Amino acid sequence: SWAAPTNPPLNYTYEIQVDEEINMGSWTMMNRVWEYPKDGEMPSTQTSVDYNFTNGIEKALPVGKTYRWTIRVKDLNRNSAEVSNTFAR
């Protein structure tokens, strides 16, 4: 879950994604493992979503890896802002 923006635009939507971090030696590659919604139009009234809530369509996240979640807010003009953080499983 997340809190709505402090000063949100009049009309906006959310996107959320989870990426797996893959260490490639001198750089890190991100591999998308999940996103919601697929069409990128989560309503501004929705401020939470459970990973894999679609009844097992997505694979469980393997233990021992590092992931990054990102939540993005977009307005009607396609301006956007996002916040992300890593986590280990």
Side-chain angles (χ1 to χ4, degrees):
S1 66
W2 57 92
T6 305
N7 295 307
L10 290 177
N11 295 299
Y12 65 97
T13 59
Y14 292 112
E15 297 174 347
I16 192 166
Q17 66 194 52
V18 175
D19 298 306
E20 175 186 357
E21 289 190 356
I22 301 172
N23 187 336
M24 302 298 287
S26 61
W27 56 282
T28 301
M29 182 176 90
M30 304 304 285
N31 179 40
R32 177 82 30 89
V33 294
W34 183 73
E35 62 186 342
Y36 179 79
K38 293 290 186 189
D39 65 5
E41 300 294 327
M42 187 185 334
S44 61
T45 54
Q46 184 174 349
T47 57
S48 69
V49 65
D50 291 332
Y51 175 79
N52 207 9
F53 74 96
T54 53
N55 220 8
I57 292 173
E58 296 84 12
K59 295 179 181 177
L61 298 176
V63 175
K65 297 188 177 216
T66 301
Y67 301 92
R68 175 179 299 275
W69 60 260
T70 303
I71 182 78
R72 183 175 300 108
V73 62
K74 296 187 314 185
D75 69 12
L76 293 177
N77 295 320
R78 295 312 215 196
N79 298 308
S80 65
E82 65 183 45
V83 64
S84 63
N85 204 350
T86 59
F87 66 97
R89 173 139 162 68

